[in-house]
Amino acid sequence: MKVLFIGMGYVGTTTGLVLAEHGHTVTGFDIDQKKIDSLNQGNVYFYEPGLQKILSSHLNKNVFFTTNLKKAVEQNDLIFITVGTPSLANGSADLSYVKDAAKMIGKYINSEKTVVLKSTVPIGTTEKVQKWIEEAAQNNSPVKTVMNPEFLREGSALEDALHPDRIVIGTHDRKAANQLRMLYQNWSCPVIETTPKAAEMIKYASNSFLAAKISFINEMAKLCDKLQVNIQDVAHGMGLDPRIGPHFLKAGLGYGGSCFPKDVKELIYTADSWESPLEILNKVEEINRNQGGYFIEKIKKKLGSLKGKKAALFGLAFKPHTDDTRESVSYLIMERLLKEHAEIKVHDPVVELSSDWTNQGVKQFKDPYKAAKSADVILICTDWPEYEELDWAKVRQLVGSPNIFDGRNAMNSSNIKKLGFYYEGIGYF
Ligand code: UGA
């Protein structure tokens, strides 16, 4: 099938490339000329494992990129909207990019089209998109809309797109539903057909539930800190119950990224505006917001004042295998450390610190051993596998004082302690 993607972020790029891998012909549009130039040169401009290879094998065969939307809309009858929906100051999702995309489709529509929303959008948006396209249309070409939420995790987006747990098709139109079933015919997972509103809600409820699992385990971890109980054992014991499941029970510094924080906020906003407040999600958010501060307090309890202390911070990305730093707790921790007048040295395998930070005296090192040199404390903020694999005996020789605070419970604590380090995770020792 011929498919157009409007918005070449990680969702549009990953989904488009995976559809190409399954034999479809994909055109990717973005208003950002730089992104399109980079993709046209065969370079995925963000860090996402595996995508580069797929791009190289399909570029200019069945994958094309353009900034000419008129031509792209005219030549494709199946159009995906994969633009961003960032948070506005009041917590609601900013739909301006979705609206712009809908209006542009309306402007160029020349024949019957199926428009599929993959961006995460508030309940009722798919119906609005239909209206926005029809209002902008200069002819009577029929348009059908579908909500088809994405469940891709950054860092493993390719794997998730190739092997999804489910495909959700939210539409009132039989023909559009069948078109999507055809598009996804090679996938073997369950396919759910429902209304657009239910499909929108499935996405928000899924992300909010996962965020709630994280805040739940983090709350337990804080109690475990007091009781000297290992949260990893608790999570393992809980997760073996299939009603609970083992996933998203990893205690630590909480969730960041471009999805959970914004989606939880948006659902809270929607619930408030319908006068049906989601108390549980308010708490989920509050717990998450306080996790960085809790971590700093733990460090201060052990080391006393951080003034003049050398802190080596490992990990800037909001999670491993991505260069995304949106809502990454590492930055909040850096802010707190600067306020405490600590000296900060950072390392991340892929993220580069901006001048906003280096101008404040934060130093970045490409080599984690150099970052650790003379440190009074090492803070692990992102669970990159690289950190677990470091030669910690060597690090022990390099540091000024052997203190490790592991915000992701990523280390094997007993091995680390055997080397003479003082070690504290979150609910993990
Ligand atoms: C999340 C969802 O997992 C995807 O299903 C969804 O499609 C995506 O949002 C989206 O809406 O686009 P993502 O934000 O990329 O994906 O990453 P996750 O793996 O879910 O991690 C989110 C945050 O939670 C990270 O900061 C991670 O470190 C943290 N986390 C995750 C924990 O603290 N504990 C866990 O057990 C799991």
Side-chain angles (χ1 to χ4, degrees), residues 51 134 137 178 195 205 238-239 262 285 302 328 350 369:
L51 284 192
E134 284 167 357
N178 286 341
T195 61
M238 287 169 66
K262 109 178 144 59
E285 224 209 343
K302 166 75 182 157
S328 169
V350 297
Y369 296 103

Side-chain angles (χ1 to χ4, degrees), residues 81-293:
I81 298 181
T82 46
V83 295
T85 51
S87 280
L88 289 170
N90 64 5
S92 68
D94 179 358
L95 287 178
S96 57
Y97 302 108
V98 172
K99 194 171 183 181
D100 288 349
K103 280 183 170 170
M104 286 193 291
I105 295 170
K107 188 170 165 197
Y108 299 132
I109 195 168
N110 62 329
S111 60
E112 185 170 349
K113 307 282 176 195
T114 299
V115 175
V116 185
L117 264 160
K118 220 174 221 319
S119 305
T120 300
V121 288
I123 316 341
T125 305
T126 308
E127 285 163 8
K128 282 188 190 158
V129 164
Q130 172 102 29
K131 202 176 79 191
W132 290 332
I133 298 172
E134 284 167 357
E135 280 169 5
Q138 275 140 30
N139 55 48
N140 289 328
S141 304
V143 59
K144 311 183 281 290
T145 47
V146 184
M147 176 66 196
N148 173 223
E150 55 88 12
F151 301 102
L152 311 179
R153 287 164 301 173
E154 287 186 41
S156 52
L158 179 59
E159 195 46 35
D160 292 345
L162 287 168
H163 307 288
D165 309 310
R166 76 288 209 194
I167 289 168
V168 177
I169 300 173
T171 184
H172 295 299
D173 191 283
R174 182 75 263 131
K175 205 169 143 193
N178 286 341
Q179 251 178 313
L180 278 242
R181 279 186 180 271
M182 277 259 287
L183 184 77
Y184 292 123
Q185 63 182 313
N186 290 342
W187 276 261
S188 55
C189 64
V191 177
I192 298 160
E193 270 187 49
T194 182
T195 61
K197 277 186 182 167
E200 289 157 349
M201 189 67 180
I202 286 170
K203 173 62 195 254
Y204 278 104
S206 298
N207 272 5
S208 298
F209 185 75
L210 292 172
K213 265 185 115 173
I214 297 170
S215 281
F216 177 87
I217 204 72
N218 282 339
E219 197 76 328
M220 290 295 142
K222 284 186 279 183
L223 179 59
C224 283
D225 264 340
K226 293 254 159 66
L227 300 172
Q228 296 283 296
V229 170
N230 181 353
I231 191 70
Q232 313 271 65
D233 293 346
V234 177
H236 181 60
M238 287 169 66
L240 288 172
D241 182 334
R243 293 170 302 175
I244 298 172
H247 306 293
F248 284 72
L249 286 182
K250 195 154 181 237
L253 287 169
Y255 59 81
S258 64
C259 307
F260 287 173
K262 109 178 144 59
D263 293 350
V264 169
K265 279 193 194 93
E266 163 55 43
L267 198 54
I268 289 173
Y269 176 88
T270 297
D272 286 345
S273 56
W274 284 91
E275 290 175 10
S276 179
L278 287 166
E279 300 296 353
I280 192 165
L281 284 192
N282 280 311
K283 211 67 204 167
V284 163
E285 224 209 343
E286 184 190 320
I287 293 166
N288 195 61
R289 208 179 323 120
N290 294 335
Q291 239 13 45

Side-chain angles (χ1 to χ4, degrees), residues 5-10 12-13 28-30 35-36 39 45-46 65:
F5 280 81
I6 298 182
M8 285 288 100
Y10 92 94
T13 308
F29 164 87
D30 203 288
K35 287 183 185 170
I36 293 301
L39 291 164
Y45 65 91
F46 53 94
F65 298 100

